[in-house]
Amino acid sequence: EMETSGTVLLPPAQDEKFMVIGGGGVGESKLSSNRTRIVDMKADSPKFVDGPTLEKGTRYPQASILPDDSVLVSGGSEDYRGRGDSNILQARLYHPDTNTFESVADPLVGRNYHSGSLLLPDGRVMFFGSDSLYGDKANTKPGVFEQRIEIYTPPYLYRDSRPSLSGGPQTIARGASGTFTSPQASVIKKVRLIRPSASTHVTDVDQRSIELKFTVSGDKVKVTVPENKNLVQSGWYMLFVDDDQGTPSKAQWVRVP
């Protein structure tokens, strides 16, 4: 029941853990799965083990990595392309550190086939698309391509303040460092380099969040990009810093040549 499942490289990418979310039977099968499965590629003998379950069997789930290392899982449908009015109006945050799902604000718009989600540079997530086969529960009316867009605001953006980041280089080579300015530098606890999403058909082969080592001096944050080319592929990334509450800055765009 792996067809129409979602796959995500869990953050940080250095952990080399992948999660498979939901899925269903081949083609127009009515089968759907509420399971998640996780594989640790660093293990001596990597194998899939069960993660937390979803409330419903879910085809076409969307998964977006957030800068605080959680993963937003939302939408999907229980049946093929939302057939039988089976869209799932639920969202969950997956926490890799505790291997648990947390219920969060649910979407108002159903998403199934041909839908996607993108992490925005301000830390929010945009949901778009969906191509339901039918437009009613009895499957008598043709579906229409969903043109509404939804924006999800994670809990970390409802805190009193967030760190800021500015003044750094636009290009940092692998193995090199760059220095940014942040008035909240003393409380920075994480730095993440997140690849822009490129989501289609429940797959995002680019999506990854890379942990960067950093040092702090006054209001300066010096970050270092890992040397491993397999880990840090060339291209543009969003650079986020998280404070001691887990609240991320807005992203600075950085190119790795």
Side-chain angles (χ1 to χ4, degrees), residues 106-218:
D106 292 327
L108 301 177
V109 178
R111 308 285 177 186
N112 55 74
Y113 188 57
H114 284 152
S115 61
S117 60
L118 302 176
L119 173 65
L120 301 176
D122 65 4
R124 298 181 299 167
V125 180
M126 178 175 70
F127 290 91
F128 54 90
S130 191
D131 191 11
S132 295
L133 197 61
Y134 296 101
D136 65 333
K137 190 160 189 158
N139 296 328
T140 59
K141 299 177 182 178
V144 295
F145 192 80
E146 180 59 65
Q147 297 186 43
R148 288 172 292 176
I149 289 173
E150 282 189 295
I151 304 292
Y152 173 73
T153 303
Y156 53 56
L157 292 181
Y158 289 98
R159 297 176 184 139
D160 291 338
S161 61
R162 65 188 303 189
S164 62
L165 196 67
S166 62
Q170 201 169 54
T171 300
I172 307 176
R174 279 181 291 271
S177 300
T179 300
F180 296 81
T181 299
S182 174
Q184 298 80 25
S186 63
V187 294
I188 298 303
K189 298 300 181 185
K190 289 180 183 177
V191 180
R192 295 291 183 265
L193 199 62
I194 300 184
R195 188 90 162 173
S197 301
S199 177
T200 179
H201 290 78
V202 209
T203 303
D204 192 340
V205 295
D206 268 359
Q207 188 173 214
R208 62 180 53 208
S209 176
I210 301 162
E211 179 180 4
L212 301 193
K213 293 182 178 179
F214 68 99
T215 59
V216 170
S217 178

Side-chain angles (χ1 to χ4, degrees), residues 240-253:
F240 292 92
V241 297
D242 289 7
D243 67 14
D244 54 358
Q245 302 299 308
T247 308
S249 64
K250 292 184 178 179
Q252 293 291 306
W253 286 98

Side-chain angles (χ1 to χ4, degrees), residues 68-82:
D68 67 348
D69 288 346
S70 62
V71 180
L72 177 63
V73 177
S74 181
S77 63
E78 292 184 82
D79 201 349
Y80 174 73
R81 286 181 60 179

